[in-house]
Amino acid sequence: MAFARLSAIVAIAFAVSQSANAALTKRVTCASGHVTANAACCALFPMVDKLQTDLFDGGDCGEEAHSALRLSFHDAIGFSIHGGKGGGADGSILIFNKTELAFHANGGIDDITARQFPVFQELKLSPGDFVHLAAAVGTANCPGAPRLEFMFGRPAPKAPAPDLTVPEPTDSVTKILARFADAGFSPEEAVSLLSSHTIAAADVVDPTIPGTPFDSTVGTFDTQVFLEVLLKGNSFPGNGSQSGEVLSPLAGEMRLQSDFVISQDPRTACLWQARVNNQQLMVSSFKSAMAKLQTLGQNRARLIDCSDVVPVPKPFTANIKFPATFSRKDVQIACPQLPFPSLATVAGPAPTVPPVPGS
């Protein structure tokens, strides 16, 4: 009898567990045919389609995609865990653009805000939801990128972020890490966020060469930028321009002074080097850091997880390579205790990296 009662209890417990699991995984089919975990997310699917059509050329990993990702960072980082700064990931950079675009660190963002604003007005999302949904959708167009989280329901911003909250390429490592720490990020998370530079290009660091990419595979979210920043170049900090540019050994490519000094500083060099040819580490750490960034200043308990409206990026599973004519001897190692990966070299003459189209 005791055994029978125990069996009955176990059976009931199992049934309750299965019922709970079913409730947790229950899916909703929207009128559009899309499936989501929350009915409130159904309204976002046609908005994602419109973003792809009106902003991202049908799903392109180009100028607008990397600019949308940059905009999300510049919007959210204006925040302090100690208070007294902006509202974080609230879209203030879009709605208070006349104020925030005047900040020196936000140079070059006027183009993407001008592109996004008419679409923002049409979709009628809150500014924060629009900015951070656009960033997630644009990033998803880049092969190798993670499928970023999207939390839905940010309230409207109350005020612009203050100036001097966005790190600049001329800043020292100490100043950059201090600014990230003030916003709640560790050095590891700061380096993780710099993974965005794999699909980035500069328009105003040197205005004579707009659309200059930071690595030779700007259309792919891969670890190439972590390799190419380490290549020995013709100019290093102290000889770089006042704008924060350090000459890259690859023609047509730009290396930010801030990226280079972070790759060489004892506090961050091993974090940087560990990402060379480690796609899984780069992608997982970037996704985690972006989830934190894109909800700075927000009460996550009041937001709805609509991450399943974000398109699934195409994978990148290959190993990166040294650009043609480069090899291990050209690497400026700053973390000797970490083995450097063995990489092949692209065949052919020394490359010239083309500018990003549409810049």
Side-chain angles (χ1 to χ4, degrees):
M1 290 293 292
F3 179 78
R5 285 196 298 271
L6 178 60
S7 297
I9 291 171
V10 170
I12 292 170
F14 179 76
V16 170
S17 173
Q18 291 294 94
S19 177
N21 288 337
L24 288 174
T25 58
K26 186 177 180 180
R27 311 291 289 172
V28 176
T29 300
C30 307
S32 62
H34 294 96
V35 178
T36 177
N38 193 305
C41 305
C42 286
L44 296 174
F45 286 104
M47 297 187 188
V48 169
D49 291 341
K50 187 167 183 62
L51 288 171
Q52 293 284 46
T53 300
D54 291 7
L55 287 180
F56 304 126
D57 297 324
D60 184 46
C61 178
E63 168 72 9
E64 286 73 24
H66 82 69
S67 293
L69 180 57
R70 182 186 179 209
L71 186 68
S72 72
F73 173 77
H74 284 239
D75 174 60
I77 200 64
F79 175 81
S80 172
I81 58 175
H82 305 291
K85 289 187 171 68
D90 60 1
S92 65
I93 199 167
L94 187 66
I95 204 70
F96 296 109
N97 57 76
K98 289 185 178 179
T99 299
E100 294 194 33
L101 295 186
F103 302 160
H104 183 268
N106 289 337
I109 285 182
D110 53 331
D111 286 345
I112 190 62
T113 53
R115 281 289 308 276
Q116 287 191 359
F117 206 82
V119 186
F120 157 68
Q121 290 180 309
E122 189 172 348
L123 293 185
K124 301 187 186 308
L125 288 168
S126 73
D129 281 348
F130 181 87
V131 166
H132 296 285
L133 178 61
V137 173
T139 301
N141 292 333
C142 303
R147 189 188 198 188
L148 295 180
E149 176 186 89
F150 176 67
M151 303 299 289
F152 180 39
R154 295 169 182 80
K158 296 179 179 178
D163 198 1
L164 305 178
T165 56
V166 180
E168 299 218 44
T170 52
D171 289 343
S172 68
V173 177
T174 296
K175 186 175 181 179
I176 292 170
L177 294 182
R179 175 74 274 273
F180 273 108
D182 183 46
F185 293 94
S186 67
E188 197 278 337
E189 290 172 320
V191 173
S192 296
L193 288 171
L194 293 176
S195 299
S196 63
H197 288 179
T198 184
I199 56 169
D203 290 327
V204 297
V205 175
D206 185 342
T208 66
I209 47 173
T212 306
F214 297 152
D215 77 14
S216 59
T217 57
V218 71
T220 305
F221 200 99
D222 58 21
T223 68
Q224 198 75 29
V225 68
F226 289 101
L227 170 64
E228 292 177 9
V229 165
L230 292 174
L231 296 179
K232 297 175 184 177
N234 300 316
S235 179
F236 295 103
N239 298 320
S241 71
Q242 293 298 314
S243 63
E245 175 192 2
V246 179
L247 295 181
S248 170
L250 274 71
E253 182 177 291
M254 180 180 293
R255 177 164 48 188
L256 292 181
Q257 181 174 321
S258 52
D259 281 355
F260 180 74
V261 295
I262 286 171
S263 79
Q264 300 296 301
D265 190 277
R267 293 166 289 184
T268 48
C270 290
L271 297 171
W272 186 278
Q273 187 175 312
R275 284 160 172 75
V276 176
N277 204 38
N278 192 334
Q279 183 77 7
Q280 182 177 1
L281 173 62
M282 184 185 79
V283 166
S284 62
S285 63
F286 179 70
K287 180 173 183 174
S288 177
M290 282 296 294
K292 184 174 179 177
L293 176 81
Q294 293 188 292
T295 53
L296 283 181
Q298 303 297 319
N299 183 345
R300 286 183 64 96
R302 295 183 178 179
L303 302 178
I304 300 168
D305 189 347
C306 289
S307 302
D308 53 16
V309 308
V310 178
V312 178
K314 295 178 181 178
F316 173 80
T317 57
N319 291 318
I320 63 168
K321 296 181 179 181
F322 283 107
T325 75
F326 290 87
S327 65
R328 172 64 178 77
K329 64 179 175 56
D330 299 301
V331 178
Q332 181 98 353
I333 291 289
C335 178
Q337 62 268 41
L338 189 66
F340 197 84
S342 177
L343 302 173
T345 297
V346 174
T352 296
V353 182
V356 176
S359 299

